[in-house]
Amino acid sequence: QVQLVESGGGLVQPGGSLRLSCAGSGFSFSRYSMRWYRQAPGKERELVAGITSAGIITNYADSVKGRFTIARDNAQNTVYLQMNSLKPEGTAVYYCYASFNYFAYWGQGTQVTVSS
């Protein structure tokens, strides 16, 4: 029953923007901290951004700080990642992650390709 479904990925040129969405169902979304991770081929999965359950605190990887924004709409059980000024090194599968105490769930991922 638990699902995290990412959407919004695609092909963009360097300097372009995308907004990713992650819709949760089957769990108490508003209790969960949410994170976005990304993984490029042959590389470790890395944390991109996080947001606390009420959206009071956010954090970002240094590599995306100032360019990416994480936000959530608990009424819609959705977390977003606004990505601006995209760089080729941003090419990766982006994953949504939900965490509350010992519960943790992963989405299936959405591909982002930054290329000219």
Side-chain angles (χ1 to χ4, degrees), residues 13-97:
Q13 294 188 341
S17 297
L18 281 176
R19 188 176 79 157
L20 306 182
S21 298
C22 172
S25 60
F27 66 101
S28 299
F29 185 90
S30 64
R31 296 182 182 178
Y32 281 66
S33 296
M34 302 297 299
R35 299 177 184 175
W36 287 96
Y37 287 80
R38 66 186 180 188
Q39 187 168 25
K43 300 195 70 175
E44 296 275 328
R45 190 169 298 187
E46 64 174 345
L47 177 65
V48 176
I51 188 166
T52 54
S53 60
I56 297 171
I57 303 171
T58 59
N59 63 279
Y60 300 91
D62 288 342
S63 60
V64 307
K65 198 169 297 180
R67 299 185 296 114
F68 289 14
T69 303
I70 188 170
R72 66 191 296 159
D73 184 348
N74 285 341
Q76 296 295 319
N77 290 349
T78 303
V79 63
Y80 304 95
L81 185 67
Q82 178 66 46
M83 304 186 295
N84 298 327
S85 301
L86 281 161
K87 302 176 179 180
E89 51 262 46
T91 295
V93 177
Y94 285 70
Y95 295 92
C96 180
Y97 174 88

